[in-house]
Amino acid sequence: MKQIFHITEVQTWTSQASSEDYLPTAYPKEGFIHTSNKDQVLGVYDRYYSKSPNLILLVIDGSRLTSELREEPSSHGLFPHIYGPINKDAIIAALNFSTKKQLQKILKNY
């Protein structure tokens, strides 16, 4: 099982509570879902989410995805990208956090 991670805002996650799949709001523009390997999560948080409260970390079993998963280069290394929605049965956990310290504590469990 390859675990990958996706940070999103609580509002984005809860607005799709009744859906079978999850798609972030940036998907139509980006064409894929940005995810991270465990060792990349804190860097993503620092670059894009450090000023955002009320976040969710999705822990995803990459082997259970029904959409295509690709490792692709970016300016910060190779990152996993999902080309399509995330089927919710591939999501192992959806964990609330608001600070980097809370995120670090969560990541120790994975």
Side-chain angles (χ1 to χ4, degrees), residues 15 35 71 96:
S15 71
T35 60
E71 291 276 337
N96 290 297

Side-chain angles (χ1 to χ4, degrees), residues 27-63:
Y27 182 81
K29 179 182 171 189
E30 299 285 336
F32 60 89
I33 300 171
H34 293 270
T35 60
S36 306
N37 296 303
K38 181 180 177 180
D39 64 339
Q40 298 168 319
V41 174
L42 294 175
V44 169
Y45 172 81
D46 287 342
R47 283 189 296 280
Y48 304 108
Y49 296 98
S50 63
K51 296 188 185 341
S52 302
N54 303 318
L55 297 169
I56 298 277
L57 179 69
L58 299 181
V59 182
I60 304 160
D61 179 347
S63 68

Side-chain angles (χ1 to χ4, degrees), residues 13-24:
W13 174 248
T14 57
S15 71
Q16 298 182 46
S18 62
S19 301
E20 290 183 18
D21 299 318
Y22 165 77
L23 272 178

Side-chain angles (χ1 to χ4, degrees), residues 4 32-36 65 67-74 77-84:
I4 56 175
F32 60 89
I33 300 171
H34 293 270
T35 60
S36 306
L65 287 169
S67 295
E68 182 182 4
L69 176 63
R70 296 185 210 162
E71 291 276 337
E72 297 182 313
S74 79
L78 284 175
F79 278 80
H81 294 155
I82 301 170
Y83 282 83

Side-chain angles (χ1 to χ4, degrees), residues 42 45 53-55 57 95-109:
L42 294 175
Y45 172 81
N54 303 318
L55 297 169
L57 179 69
L95 306 161
N96 290 297
F97 71 98
S98 295
T99 66
K100 185 173 184 175
K101 187 174 182 174
Q102 290 171 336
L103 178 59
Q104 289 170 317
K105 187 175 180 179
I106 290 169
L107 288 171
K108 286 181 183 180
N109 295 316

